[in-house]
Amino acid sequence: AAAPHVRGDRPAGGPCDPALAPALAPLLAQYRSVCPGRDEREIVRGYRVAERLHRGQLRKSGAPFITHPLAVATILAGMGMDTATLVAALLHDTVEDTPYTLDELRADFGEEVAVLVDGVTKLDGRRWGARAEAETLRKIVLAAAADLRVLVIKLADRLHNLRTLGFQSPEKRIRIATASHELLVPFAERLGIRVLQREMDDLAFAARDPEAHAATAHAVTAALGRAPAVFGPAIGRIGAALRGDRVTAETIVRPRHLYAVHTAHGGDVAGLRPGEAAHLLVLVDGPDTDCYVALGAVHSALHPIPGNLRDHIATPKYNLYRSLHTRVVSPGGDPIEVIIRSRAMHPLAEYGIVATIREAGDDAAGREVAGRRDLVWLSRLLAWQSAAPSDRFLDGLRADLAPGTVAAFTPGGRMVTLPEGATALDFAYALDDGTGERSIGALVNGRQAPLSAELRSGNVVEVLTGPAAAPSAEWLDFAVTAHARVGISEWLARHRAERSADAGRRRLAEAL
């Protein structure tokens, strides 16, 4: 049983009581390295309360339960998250697993921390039954719409659970790993938090398919062993070309993470080449314009492969990512990918939304960044989730978060990001529900196409509408996005009820 909570319990003897030092040392070390000079007392107080409440509770590994929230907070501190987020991470299981109430937490630590803890607290399975998982995730999404730090805490929580997955039963390991790949890793990708995405991907991969994971790890290790012979001459030529163009930059070899290699090759990793196991990253010391000069230098040094240039600086990805991507042929004839970005872009490319929150700091500006509402994928998710019942919410979420995206454009230049396989009908609903409901066809790159036409990145799509047009049940055969499917189903159900009511009124009138 948890020990009773003492309200306002504060550590004696300075910022960190010597008795707490060994347990708190890793967390405070990370906090000081990223946020030097900030007040640590609230973090120490949060730890003391969490440790007291969880005292006597154990994890599956046999370790004291407090090691879990402490590890989650340490992960977040290493990314540079603000004080309120770290305190919420330390307390994130207290309301769920101890007698501590949300009102007590709010009184002790304030509204901001209470909102974050409430956002990640699971719903009671005894009360919600089979709906608990879907409704808990819906609750997290809604809380994240107001403050994205809720989702960041949840991702760090799942990362630590994946790190300790070996203590679970084989069935539970596979279930947690599968749910992570389908529902949580995509959120890390959508938020641009690549440091979390890569590790979660590989840990879930190891749990779901240990043999494929081991084979991929062996193939990547062997390929990287041959990397110097492939990348060394390429780096030499690129460096000379950069110096010739007076661009100061660092060129480094970056291994790909195992799950990305596995999926890219459909599991067939035999004979993996160095250029398939790693890429070159060119970090430019200078403004954005120097990245384009660097691109020219790379293409002058090594022959570019046509059709493989992607400019995510002029057109950032939906997760805020900005870089130039190109593929070239190394001096030895091996195709290699080169990614070019400025050092200012690098934190955003690795940490995504966390980098913007970290840059804003602990003040009101940081909270404003955490509550940003300009993420298109989140707006689209919020648009359909309220109409989806529990049994269809998770399926819709999986479809919406599926890997792979298509970036199509309106004639006015507005970019619409959709999952792979999306159709012109999905594009219409992404614009707004009214356009989707009245759509009758589309012009794709100026040519007439049916609503079922599958879109490709770069397509310019103009939706054709008619005042008398309306959804039909056949649309569900080719609608891909959850937004479109939920919108169509809701419209059909609503008008089916209206038609039944009209028929009932007519029969009643005839009978009278």
Side-chain angles (χ1 to χ4, degrees):
H5 167 57
V6 180
R7 177 160 298 178
D9 188 17
R10 292 182 181 275
C16 186
D17 191 320
L20 304 178
L24 270 177
L27 169 58
L28 294 180
Q30 291 280 20
Y31 185 65
R32 291 164 187 159
S33 67
V34 182
C35 307
R38 289 192 186 173
D39 192 345
E40 303 168 358
R41 287 175 296 183
E42 199 68 2
I43 294 174
V44 175
R45 188 165 74 94
Y47 173 78
R48 286 174 65 92
V49 171
E51 191 280 331
R52 172 168 287 135
L53 290 166
H54 288 300
R55 193 175 296 163
Q57 297 176 347
L58 301 176
R59 285 176 59 79
K60 289 281 187 181
S61 63
F65 190 90
I66 189 60
T67 59
H68 169 64
L70 190 57
V72 173
T74 303
I75 291 169
L76 295 168
M79 295 193 297
M81 290 302 291
D82 58 289
T83 304
T85 303
L86 302 187
V87 174
L90 289 167
L91 298 165
H92 79 272
D93 278 324
T94 55
V95 174
E96 183 180 329
D97 294 332
T98 78
Y100 199 40
T101 67
L102 191 63
D103 286 338
E104 287 176 315
L105 189 148
R106 183 178 290 108
D108 288 348
F109 293 95
E111 181 66 22
E112 184 179 3
V113 173
V115 167
L116 296 176
V117 172
D118 185 37
V120 295
T121 299
K122 291 196 282 285
L123 295 173
D124 187 349
R126 291 169 298 182
R127 176 183 172 189
W128 290 84
R131 301 166 55 208
E133 182 184 8
E135 293 306 321
T136 294
L137 206 49
R138 195 199 304 263
K139 175 173 174 259
I140 290 172
V141 167
L142 291 172
D147 196 324
L148 288 168
R149 292 176 296 177
V150 170
L151 200 45
V152 177
I153 294 171
K154 181 61 182 177
L155 292 172
D157 173 53
R158 178 54 60 91
L159 173 57
H160 184 249
N161 283 332
L162 287 170
R163 287 176 178 175
T164 56
L165 208 52
F167 296 102
Q168 301 288 351
S169 66
E171 296 78 12
K172 194 168 184 180
R173 281 202 298 270
I174 293 175
R175 181 173 62 79
I176 293 173
T178 301
S180 298
H181 260 157
E182 292 179 349
L183 297 170
L184 287 174
V185 173
F187 276 124
E189 194 268 340
R190 294 298 192 275
L191 293 175
I193 314 175
R194 292 280 293 158
V195 292
L196 292 185
Q197 180 192 350
R198 287 191 292 260
E199 188 177 355
M200 292 173 72
D201 253 344
D202 285 352
L203 290 170
F205 177 32
R208 295 179 74 181
D209 196 339
E211 291 183 4
H213 179 271
T216 306
H218 177 76
V220 167
T221 301
L224 293 178
R226 303 189 302 274
V230 172
F231 289 107
I235 291 174
R237 289 195 184 184
I238 290 172
L242 290 169
R243 288 190 295 273
D245 287 340
R246 298 181 180 181
V247 175
T248 304
E250 178 186 10
T251 304
I252 55 179
V253 178
R254 287 280 296 260
R256 290 185 168 90
H257 68 289
L258 299 182
Y259 188 66
V261 173
H262 171 78
T263 53
H265 295 274
D268 184 10
V269 293
L272 197 69
R273 301 167 70 91
E276 296 168 327
H279 61 257
L280 286 180
L281 175 63
V282 180
L283 286 176
V284 175
D285 294 313
D288 294 1
T289 51
D290 280 1
C291 293
Y292 292 97
V293 178
L295 176 66
V298 170
H299 284 177
S300 68
L302 300 170
H303 185 70
I305 300 174
N308 283 269
L309 175 61
R310 288 169 289 163
D311 186 349
H312 295 304
I313 294 178
T315 309
K317 294 180 70 174
Y318 55 84
N319 59 6
L320 316 176
Y321 177 86
R322 300 176 71 221
S323 292
L324 299 173
H325 288 235
T326 186
R327 286 182 67 81
V328 297
V329 180
S330 73
D334 291 278
I336 56 176
E337 182 177 13
V338 181
I339 299 174
I340 303 166
R341 66 176 72 115
S342 70
R343 290 195 186 274
M345 296 174 193
H346 189 59
L348 196 62
E350 292 293 295
Y351 294 95
I353 193 68
V354 169
T356 61
I357 295 173
R358 181 172 65 196
E359 188 176 329
D362 266 347
D363 55 15
R367 291 189 290 275
E368 183 177 343
V369 170
R372 61 186 299 163
R373 290 170 174 78
D374 60 339
L375 298 176
V376 175
W377 63 267
L378 183 57
S379 300
R380 190 172 65 223
L381 175 54
L382 294 171
W384 65 261
Q385 64 79 28
S386 61
S390 298
D391 57 345
R392 287 193 293 176
F393 176 70
L394 288 182
D395 289 338
L397 197 57
R398 289 187 185 96
D400 236 24
L401 298 176
T405 56
V406 171
F409 297 84
T410 66
R414 172 185 167 189
M415 184 172 69
V416 177
T417 305
L418 298 165
E420 282 186 354
T423 62
L425 180 61
D426 296 305
F427 185 94
Y429 270 91
L431 296 178
D432 61 76
D433 285 351
T435 300
E437 291 170 1
R438 296 191 304 275
S439 56
I440 56 175
L443 296 177
V444 179
N445 297 332
R447 297 186 176 183
Q448 192 162 351
L451 290 172
S452 58
E454 189 173 322
L455 302 181
R456 297 284 184 268
S457 282
N459 285 165
V460 177
V461 183
E462 180 180 355
V463 178
L464 305 177
T465 60
S472 69
E474 288 73 23
W475 284 9
L476 293 171
D477 294 336
F478 52 84
V480 172
T481 63
H483 185 178
R485 296 186 65 82
V486 169
I488 295 164
S489 298
E490 189 180 32
W491 191 95
L492 292 173
R494 185 171 64 248
H495 285 76
R496 191 178 299 120
E498 290 174 0
R499 288 194 298 271
S500 297
D502 287 342
R505 282 190 288 269
R506 284 195 301 270
R507 290 179 183 176
L508 179 60
E510 291 170 358
L512 292 173

PDB file of all heavy atoms in Angstrom, residues 335-346:
ATOM      1  N   PRO A 335      25.349   3.663 -55.192  1.00  0.00           N
ATOM      2  CA  PRO A 335      24.392   4.750 -54.925  1.00  0.00           C
ATOM      3  C   PRO A 335      24.373   5.063 -53.420  1.00  0.00           C
ATOM      4  O   PRO A 335      24.322   4.146 -52.596  1.00  0.00           O
ATOM      5  CB  PRO A 335      23.048   4.178 -55.377  1.00  0.00           C
ATOM      6  CG  PRO A 335      23.385   2.973 -56.188  1.00  0.00           C
ATOM      7  CD  PRO A 335      24.677   2.453 -55.668  1.00  0.00           C
ATOM      8  N   ILE A 336      24.414   6.326 -53.069  1.00  0.00           N
ATOM      9  CA  ILE A 336      24.329   6.732 -51.664  1.00  0.00           C
ATOM     10  C   ILE A 336      23.400   7.931 -51.551  1.00  0.00           C
ATOM     11  O   ILE A 336      23.299   8.743 -52.463  1.00  0.00           O
ATOM     12  CB  ILE A 336      25.715   7.077 -51.063  1.00  0.00           C
ATOM     13  CG1 ILE A 336      26.420   8.162 -51.877  1.00  0.00           C
ATOM     14  CG2 ILE A 336      26.580   5.843 -50.943  1.00  0.00           C
ATOM     15  CD1 ILE A 336      27.739   8.593 -51.274  1.00  0.00           C
ATOM     16  N   GLU A 337      22.720   8.011 -50.421  1.00  0.00           N
ATOM     17  CA  GLU A 337      21.836   9.145 -50.154  1.00  0.00           C
ATOM     18  C   GLU A 337      22.611  10.202 -49.378  1.00  0.00           C
ATOM     19  O   GLU A 337      23.376   9.880 -48.459  1.00  0.00           O
ATOM     20  CB  GLU A 337      20.610   8.719 -49.352  1.00  0.00           C
ATOM     21  CG  GLU A 337      19.635   9.868 -49.106  1.00  0.00           C
ATOM     22  CD  GLU A 337      18.381   9.444 -48.360  1.00  0.00           C
ATOM     23  OE1 GLU A 337      18.361   8.324 -47.816  1.00  0.00           O
ATOM     24  OE2 GLU A 337      17.432  10.237 -48.326  1.00  0.00           O
ATOM     25  N   VAL A 338      22.406  11.460 -49.745  1.00  0.00           N
ATOM     26  CA  VAL A 338      23.039  12.585 -49.060  1.00  0.00           C
ATOM     27  C   VAL A 338      21.930  13.510 -48.553  1.00  0.00           C
ATOM     28  O   VAL A 338      21.046  13.899 -49.320  1.00  0.00           O
ATOM     29  CB  VAL A 338      23.992  13.368 -49.988  1.00  0.00           C
ATOM     30  CG1 VAL A 338      24.656  14.516 -49.218  1.00  0.00           C
ATOM     31  CG2 VAL A 338      25.059  12.443 -50.575  1.00  0.00           C
ATOM     32  N   ILE A 339      21.984  13.829 -47.267  1.00  0.00           N
ATOM     33  CA  ILE A 339      21.030  14.750 -46.645  1.00  0.00           C
ATOM     34  C   ILE A 339      21.783  16.006 -46.240  1.00  0.00           C
ATOM     35  O   ILE A 339      22.839  15.927 -45.600  1.00  0.00           O
ATOM     36  CB  ILE A 339      20.350  14.105 -45.422  1.00  0.00           C
ATOM     37  CG1 ILE A 339      19.581  12.847 -45.851  1.00  0.00           C
ATOM     38  CG2 ILE A 339      19.429  15.091 -44.730  1.00  0.00           C
ATOM     39  CD1 ILE A 339      18.990  12.065 -44.690  1.00  0.00           C
ATOM     40  N   ILE A 340      21.262  17.150 -46.633  1.00  0.00           N
ATOM     41  CA  ILE A 340      21.926  18.428 -46.376  1.00  0.00           C
ATOM     42  C   ILE A 340      20.990  19.309 -45.554  1.00  0.00           C
ATOM     43  O   ILE A 340      19.825  19.493 -45.916  1.00  0.00           O
ATOM     44  CB  ILE A 340      22.272  19.144 -47.702  1.00  0.00           C
ATOM     45  CG1 ILE A 340      23.157  18.241 -48.576  1.00  0.00           C
ATOM     46  CG2 ILE A 340      22.961  20.467 -47.438  1.00  0.00           C
ATOM     47  CD1 ILE A 340      23.275  18.721 -50.013  1.00  0.00           C
ATOM     48  N   ARG A 341      21.518  19.817 -44.443  1.00  0.00           N
ATOM     49  CA  ARG A 341      20.744  20.765 -43.632  1.00  0.00           C
ATOM     50  C   ARG A 341      21.711  21.673 -42.878  1.00  0.00           C
ATOM     51  O   ARG A 341      22.894  21.340 -42.712  1.00  0.00           O
ATOM     52  CB  ARG A 341      19.827  20.041 -42.646  1.00  0.00           C
ATOM     53  CG  ARG A 341      20.534  19.259 -41.553  1.00  0.00           C
ATOM     54  CD  ARG A 341      19.546  18.661 -40.561  1.00  0.00           C
ATOM     55  NE  ARG A 341      18.797  17.560 -41.108  1.00  0.00           N
ATOM     56  CZ  ARG A 341      18.890  16.290 -40.656  1.00  0.00           C
ATOM     57  NH1 ARG A 341      19.711  15.999 -39.659  1.00  0.00           N
ATOM     58  NH2 ARG A 341      18.172  15.349 -41.194  1.00  0.00           N
ATOM     59  N   SER A 342      21.216  22.811 -42.435  1.00  0.00           N
ATOM     60  CA  SER A 342      22.047  23.714 -41.632  1.00  0.00           C
ATOM     61  C   SER A 342      22.061  23.223 -40.188  1.00  0.00           C
ATOM     62  O   SER A 342      21.194  22.449 -39.765  1.00  0.00           O
ATOM     63  CB  SER A 342      21.507  25.138 -41.696  1.00  0.00           C
ATOM     64  OG  SER A 342      20.287  25.233 -40.989  1.00  0.00           O
ATOM     65  N   ARG A 343      23.034  23.706 -39.427  1.00  0.00           N
ATOM     66  CA  ARG A 343      23.082  23.317 -38.012  1.00  0.00           C
ATOM     67  C   ARG A 343      21.863  23.843 -37.256  1.00  0.00           C
ATOM     68  O   ARG A 343      21.427  23.232 -36.282  1.00  0.00           O
ATOM     69  CB  ARG A 343      24.371  23.831 -37.367  1.00  0.00           C
ATOM     70  CG  ARG A 343      25.613  23.105 -37.854  1.00  0.00           C
ATOM     71  CD  ARG A 343      26.816  23.344 -36.964  1.00  0.00           C
ATOM     72  NE  ARG A 343      28.000  22.742 -37.559  1.00  0.00           N
ATOM     73  CZ  ARG A 343      28.354  21.467 -37.393  1.00  0.00           C
ATOM     74  NH1 ARG A 343      27.607  20.668 -36.643  1.00  0.00           N
ATOM     75  NH2 ARG A 343      29.445  20.991 -37.960  1.00  0.00           N
ATOM     76  N   ALA A 344      21.304  24.952 -37.716  1.00  0.00           N
ATOM     77  CA  ALA A 344      20.091  25.480 -37.089  1.00  0.00           C
ATOM     78  C   ALA A 344      18.898  24.560 -37.326  1.00  0.00           C
ATOM     79  O   ALA A 344      17.986  24.488 -36.504  1.00  0.00           O
ATOM     80  CB  ALA A 344      19.793  26.879 -37.616  1.00  0.00           C
ATOM     81  N   MET A 345      18.893  23.852 -38.464  1.00  0.00           N
ATOM     82  CA  MET A 345      17.796  22.925 -38.773  1.00  0.00           C
ATOM     83  C   MET A 345      17.941  21.593 -38.028  1.00  0.00           C
ATOM     84  O   MET A 345      16.952  20.877 -37.846  1.00  0.00           O
ATOM     85  CB  MET A 345      17.771  22.619 -40.276  1.00  0.00           C
ATOM     86  CG  MET A 345      17.488  23.774 -41.179  1.00  0.00           C
ATOM     87  SD  MET A 345      17.672  23.245 -42.903  1.00  0.00           S
ATOM     88  CE  MET A 345      17.672  24.829 -43.732  1.00  0.00           C
ATOM     89  N   HIS A 346      19.159  21.271 -37.617  1.00  0.00           N
ATOM     90  CA  HIS A 346      19.428  19.923 -37.104  1.00  0.00           C
ATOM     91  C   HIS A 346      18.614  19.577 -35.846  1.00  0.00           C
ATOM     92  O   HIS A 346      18.030  18.491 -35.780  1.00  0.00           O
ATOM     93  CB  HIS A 346      20.925  19.758 -36.851  1.00  0.00           C
ATOM     94  CG  HIS A 346      21.319  18.346 -36.537  1.00  0.00           C
ATOM     95  ND1 HIS A 346      21.084  17.294 -37.402  1.00  0.00           N
ATOM     96  CD2 HIS A 346      21.920  17.809 -35.443  1.00  0.00           C
ATOM     97  CE1 HIS A 346      21.533  16.179 -36.857  1.00  0.00           C
ATOM     98  NE2 HIS A 346      22.042  16.462 -35.680  1.00  0.00           N
TER      99      HIS A 346
END
